[in-house]
């Protein structure tokens, strides 16, 4: 016992100088053989044992870091089945006139701007997940005939997205698919969007370069750092939400859903919610109880060593959730929210990209300051794409209106949590011809 205690306290690394240049035995049996054959005393045995334990701990930590890296890298890819689905549908759009039919049919076009209907907006380049958002919303609605879906996608996904919803009937609801290439924005808006996405890309690049410069031990000390390397970090569709008033100039109110959400309960009362003059209705991350927002405080988003941030924001303030929101676009157009967003992007540019972690939410928290109406936390729970999801009780997951798989482990990926994947996969139409041909399974 004394020898082991002495070995633990001797030297900064706890191994003692005896092992600094000596190869260690690979197993306990080898250690015993080494000790008996060389006739070393108990002190040498203690030092070698301690050195072996330290080495083992280092190997375990290294393996944990590498596993974390691989886990996050796995979140970057597009599954073969989803890639196949887009290709098959694009082919269908080219060959089948039905896949190119108008969305919505001419008799329902007037609903696209009718304020008496409930307008749901989705920005995505993933056909399968778009179908889950739409089908889960319709299935959960008490009045699906009042729903109007507005899906915005990029040019490369447009044909596949259009074909899917043209050949797959959407019961009761009305739906449109628009590609970004179909918008005719003003020169000012075009310049603003290009400037916005370029700064976000620079922020992501800066984060990546800084991580490469750091040592391995520090580089992946925090799992959250790795999420900023995901493609969505600089995705145009991800950041375009700040331009929703320009995307839908004829709408006064919308419900916004991220493509990694699943709707479990009727959203009608959310649509009818009085925002009391505010622009956005948002929940706060209180799945753990009132006044609790683990991992969602401003200190987790912003760099408070910067006087620009510390003089403006509250370190312990709880941030609101982006991904399931109701927006009053009329109220938004009367504010300078988008201009404020751009102002802070330029401040970030001029400050060396050190004001906040990459993502759409940090600058939005500042831009929407004073314009957020707190809604009940039962409307929205986020973070289901992180490993800490196991801390959320089953009753909370069942009772919340919208579950949000924010985080790397999306339910359509192999790294998605099997315990909660069924919340998403139950809304996939596995009997669909294209889904079956592409081998997509739950």
């Amino acid at each position: 016992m004394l020898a082991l205690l002495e070995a633990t306290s001797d030297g900064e690394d706890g191994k003692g100088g005896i092992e600094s240049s000596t190869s260690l035995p690979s197993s306990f049996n080898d250690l015993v053989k080494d000790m008996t054959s060389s006739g070393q005393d108990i002190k040498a045995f203690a030092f070698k044992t301690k050195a072996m334990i330290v080495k083992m701990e280092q190997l375990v930590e290294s393996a944990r870091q590498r596993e974390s890296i691989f886990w996050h890298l796995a979140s970057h890819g597009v599954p073969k089945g989803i890639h196949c689905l887009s290709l098959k549908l694009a082919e269908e759009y080219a060959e089948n006139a039905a896949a190119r039919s108008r969305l919505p049919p001419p008799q329902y076009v007037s609903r696209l701007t009718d304020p008496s209907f409930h307008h749901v907006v989705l920005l995505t380049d993933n056909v399968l997940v778009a179908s889950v958002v739409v089908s889960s919303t319709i299935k959960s609605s008490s009045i699906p005939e009042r729903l109007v879906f507005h899906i915005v996608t990029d040019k490369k996904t447009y044909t596949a997205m259009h074909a899917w919803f043209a050949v797959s009937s959407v019961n009761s609801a009305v739906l449109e698919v628009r590609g970004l290439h179909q918008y005719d924005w003003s020169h000012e808006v075009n310049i603003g969007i290009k400037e916005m996405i370029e700064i976000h890309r620079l922020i992501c690049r800066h984060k990546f370069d800084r991580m490469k410069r750091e040592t391995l031990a520090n580089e992946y000390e925090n799992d959250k750092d790795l999420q900023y390397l995901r493609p969505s970090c600089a995705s145009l569709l991800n950041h375009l939400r700040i331009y929703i008033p320009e995307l839908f100039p004829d709408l006064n109110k919308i419900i916004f859903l991220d493509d990694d959400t699943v709707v479990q309960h009727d959203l009608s009362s959310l649509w009818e919610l009085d925002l009391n003059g505010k622009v956005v209705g948002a929940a706060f991350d209180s799945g753990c109880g009132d006044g609790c927002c683990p991992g969602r405080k401003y200190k987790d988003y912003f760099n408070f060593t910067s006087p620009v941030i510390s003089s403006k924001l509250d370190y312990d303030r709880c941030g609101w959730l982006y991904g399931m929101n109701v927006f009053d676009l009329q109220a938004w157009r009367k504010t300078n929210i988008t201009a404020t967003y751009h102002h802070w992007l330029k401040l970030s540019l001029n400050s060396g990209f050190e004001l906040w972690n990459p993502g759409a939410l940090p600058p939005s928290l500042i831009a929407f300051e004073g314009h957020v109406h707190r809604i009940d936390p039962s409307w929205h729970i986020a973070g289901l794409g992180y490993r800490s999801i196991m801390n959320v009780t089953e009753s909370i997951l069942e009772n919340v209106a919208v579950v949000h798989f924010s985080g790397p482990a999306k339910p359509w990926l192999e790294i998605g949590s099997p315990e909660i994947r069924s919340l998403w996969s139950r809304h996939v139409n596995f009997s669909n011809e294209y889904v079956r041909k592409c081998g997509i399974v739950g």
Side-chain angles (χ1 to χ4, degrees):
M1 177 71 74
L2 289 173
L4 287 171
L5 290 173
E6 184 180 350
T8 301
S9 61
D10 188 7
E12 291 184 0
D13 59 3
K15 296 187 292 185
I18 190 172
E19 292 302 328
S20 59
S21 60
T22 306
S23 60
L24 293 170
S26 58
S27 69
F28 180 75
N29 287 336
D30 290 342
L31 173 64
V32 173
K33 290 178 182 179
D34 184 30
M35 291 294 100
T36 54
S37 63
S38 58
Q40 297 186 45
D41 61 14
I42 190 66
K43 183 176 181 180
F45 178 82
F47 275 127
K48 284 209 171 193
T49 301
K50 177 60 179 177
M52 289 176 66
I53 292 173
V54 171
K55 181 180 179 181
M56 182 73 71
E57 290 174 344
Q58 292 172 344
L59 289 173
V60 170
E61 178 61 19
S62 176
R64 185 198 67 79
Q65 292 168 353
R66 290 181 181 277
E67 187 272 341
S68 183
I69 295 169
F70 295 148
W71 188 78
H72 279 270
L73 286 175
S75 72
H76 296 184
V78 178
K80 179 181 177 181
I82 292 180
H83 183 61
C84 165
L85 184 64
S86 288
L87 293 176
K88 292 285 187 184
L89 288 167
E91 182 181 16
E92 188 71 12
Y93 183 89
E95 297 177 353
N96 185 356
R100 300 191 299 271
S101 58
R102 290 187 60 178
L103 284 175
Q107 63 269 31
Y108 298 122
V109 169
S110 62
R111 295 188 185 183
L112 295 178
T113 56
D114 191 330
S116 66
F117 288 85
H118 300 172
H119 298 270
V120 180
V121 168
L122 181 64
L123 311 178
T124 182
D125 61 355
N126 190 318
V127 177
L128 187 64
V129 301
S131 72
V132 168
V133 175
V134 171
S135 62
S136 66
T137 305
I138 292 174
K139 184 178 179 180
S140 304
S141 177
S142 59
I143 45 173
E145 62 275 6
R146 296 283 298 281
L147 290 170
V148 178
F149 293 93
H150 305 265
I151 298 178
V152 179
T153 190
D154 54 22
K155 187 175 182 179
K156 68 178 177 60
T157 313
Y158 172 75
T159 55
M161 190 77 71
H162 187 106
W164 173 272
F165 289 105
V167 299
S168 305
S169 61
V170 179
N171 294 330
S172 305
V174 165
L175 182 145
E176 71 164 339
V177 176
R178 298 189 67 181
L180 292 177
H181 59 289
Q182 296 174 323
Y183 282 91
D184 185 20
W185 285 313
S186 67
H187 178 71
E188 181 182 2
V189 171
N190 274 319
I191 294 297
I193 290 174
K194 289 178 181 179
E195 178 185 73
M196 172 190 69
I197 199 62
E198 180 59 27
I199 293 178
H200 277 298
R201 283 173 177 161
L202 289 172
I203 292 173
C204 295
R205 171 57 60 181
H206 173 76
K207 180 74 173 182
F208 178 72
D209 289 342
R210 189 176 69 181
M211 289 177 67
K212 286 198 299 184
R213 289 194 301 268
E214 294 175 350
T215 64
L216 184 65
N218 294 327
E219 182 178 350
Y220 299 108
E221 184 176 328
N222 190 344
D223 266 4
K224 289 183 179 179
D225 287 343
L226 290 159
Q227 67 177 299
Y228 306 126
L229 305 183
R230 299 205 308 272
S232 60
C233 180
S235 166
L236 174 57
L237 287 169
N238 185 46
H239 294 292
L240 201 57
R241 61 189 76 187
I242 196 67
Y243 277 93
I244 284 178
E246 284 73 28
L247 286 169
F248 303 100
D250 299 321
L251 295 181
N252 296 328
K253 189 176 186 180
I254 61 114
I255 291 175
F256 174 81
L257 294 174
D258 262 344
D259 64 358
D260 53 355
T261 58
V262 173
V263 179
Q264 301 189 127
H265 301 298
D266 185 26
L267 299 181
S268 299
S269 55
L270 177 66
W271 175 266
E272 296 161 1
L273 186 68
D274 183 0
L275 297 182
N276 296 317
K278 304 294 186 181
V279 172
V280 56
F284 290 69
D285 194 357
S286 36
C288 59
D290 293 337
C292 176
C293 54
R296 292 287 174 178
K297 290 187 176 181
Y298 276 30
K299 64 183 180 182
D300 299 296
Y301 297 116
F302 297 98
N303 175 18
F304 278 88
T305 63
S306 167
V308 177
I309 293 297
S310 59
S311 63
K312 173 72 176 179
L313 305 177
D314 180 3
Y315 183 82
D316 282 320
R317 188 170 182 178
C318 193
W320 49 274
L321 298 179
Y322 224 160
M324 194 292 299
N325 306 103
V326 54
F327 287 103
D328 183 337
L329 300 187
Q330 276 188 309
W332 188 337
R333 295 185 183 104
K334 297 175 183 177
T335 70
N336 61 348
I337 287 173
T338 304
T340 301
Y341 185 94
H342 273 275
H343 170 72
W344 278 89
L345 283 182
K346 291 176 182 177
L347 280 179
S348 177
L349 176 66
N350 297 330
S351 302
F353 311 111
E354 293 289 349
L355 297 187
W356 59 72
N357 288 326
L361 182 56
S364 298
L365 291 174
I366 302 175
F368 283 94
E369 177 74 24
H371 300 288
V372 182
H373 176 77
R374 182 188 289 262
I375 64 176
D376 193 277
S378 63
W379 278 113
H380 183 194
I381 186 169
L384 302 198
Y386 293 101
R387 305 185 194 202
S388 58
I389 185 56
M390 299 307 296
N391 299 327
V392 180
T393 64
E394 186 176 341
S395 60
I396 290 178
L397 291 177
E398 290 177 352
N399 294 329
V400 74
V402 175
V403 292
H404 189 180
F405 291 87
S406 54
K410 304 303 183 187
W412 55 88
L413 300 175
E414 290 186 6
I415 62 172
S417 171
E419 291 82 6
I420 58 173
R421 183 179 289 142
S422 62
L423 295 176
W424 182 85
S425 61
R426 69 180 61 164
H427 298 286
V428 177
N429 182 9
F430 292 107
S431 63
N432 180 276
E433 174 188 0
Y434 304 102
V435 171
R436 285 189 289 104
K437 284 182 178 179
C438 291
I440 296 173
V441 296

